[in-house]
Amino acid sequence: AADYALSLLSRMEELRNTDSATPSIAPDVKSYTKVINAIARSGREDAGEQAEEILNRMIHDEAADLSPNTFTYTYVIDAYARSPSSKAPHAAQRLIEEMERLRAEGDPEVRPTTRAWNSVISAWAQWKGEEMAWGRVGSGAERAEACLDIMEELANTTGNEEVRPNSYNYNSVISALANSQDDGAASRAEAILERMEN
């Protein structure tokens, strides 16, 4: 499905760029977003990179003059969250931060949401940390847990209630802690459960 969606998008772009093109053939934000979603669901190892490539193609296509929206970014983050790449959680985090920057700059079409954040949490939950010469640095569960703190701070400081953690976010972090080898993970999961109840 992703290959077919990509070929249709390419064909739409080609037709738009010909003299005989009609405006109804030109891809719009929904077209790009649906292709990105198809890529995210494809199960490809490089789905995150490929989805972000389409996002950038949309952003930098002067002929199209289109701006991505919340859904577009969320599906790119989803693609990274489903990727086994060790770079995926870093890319997902970078994109959610870009969404927050765009919202803060007044872009009415882009707002981080609990859905997008849950994909970032899922990406971190799969991350095994980084091996450095002096030992392991961080864990995915720690990073997933930090996402909750960021979400609460954003909701409190920006007034964007769409980022206030919900039960899915809390449960995703509790699951990440339960599956981790972190010292004290059980007590941290219990503390998050208490936080969720309050």
Side-chain angles (χ1 to χ4, degrees):
D3 289 332
Y4 183 67
L6 281 165
S7 67
L8 279 178
L9 179 65
S10 294
R11 182 70 179 132
M12 290 172 76
E13 289 172 332
E14 287 171 23
L15 290 170
R16 179 202 59 216
N17 294 332
T18 63
D19 291 334
S20 62
T22 59
S24 63
I25 294 175
D28 60 9
V29 174
K30 285 183 180 180
S31 305
Y32 284 95
T33 302
K34 287 184 182 293
V35 170
I36 290 169
N37 188 26
I39 293 167
R41 294 170 174 255
S42 71
R44 295 177 177 184
E45 208 166 297
D46 66 342
E49 291 86 357
Q50 193 172 31
E52 189 168 5
E53 182 181 313
I54 299 299
L55 171 70
N56 289 327
R57 194 161 108 188
M58 176 186 166
I59 292 170
H60 299 296
D61 186 348
E62 292 177 12
D65 190 32
L66 299 172
S67 297
N69 61 28
T70 297
F71 296 106
T72 315
Y73 275 99
T74 300
Y75 290 139
V76 177
I77 293 169
D78 278 348
Y80 277 118
R82 297 169 192 233
S83 170
S85 168
S86 63
K87 296 177 184 176
H90 298 280
Q93 185 78 39
R94 176 180 44 77
L95 286 167
I96 196 89
E97 289 169 2
E98 183 175 328
M99 288 178 76
E100 177 53 31
R101 180 187 57 78
L102 290 168
R103 185 215 55 81
E105 291 174 357
D107 187 330
E109 298 299 320
V110 179
R111 293 178 72 85
T113 63
T114 55
R115 167 87 168 71
W117 271 105
N118 210 57
S119 291
V120 175
I121 290 167
S122 294
W124 282 122
Q126 297 173 50
W127 190 63
K128 303 300 181 209
E130 293 184 49
E131 293 294 336
M132 301 293 197
W134 56 87
R136 180 174 293 277
V137 177
S139 77
E142 288 172 338
R143 301 281 180 102
E145 194 175 357
C147 288
L148 287 180
D149 296 332
I150 295 168
M151 291 172 72
E152 286 177 349
E153 182 180 339
L154 285 171
N156 292 334
T157 59
T158 68
N160 179 9
E161 288 299 313
E162 292 180 59
V163 295
R164 188 164 305 282
N166 61 28
S167 61
Y168 290 108
N169 305 127
Y170 287 112
N171 284 322
S172 293
V173 174
I174 289 169
S175 179
L177 286 164
N179 292 322
S180 78
Q181 303 296 319
D182 292 4
D183 290 334
S187 61
R188 287 172 26 220
E190 192 173 319
I192 288 172
L193 182 60
E194 289 173 15
R195 223 164 111 184
M196 186 169 91
E197 291 172 345
N198 294 331

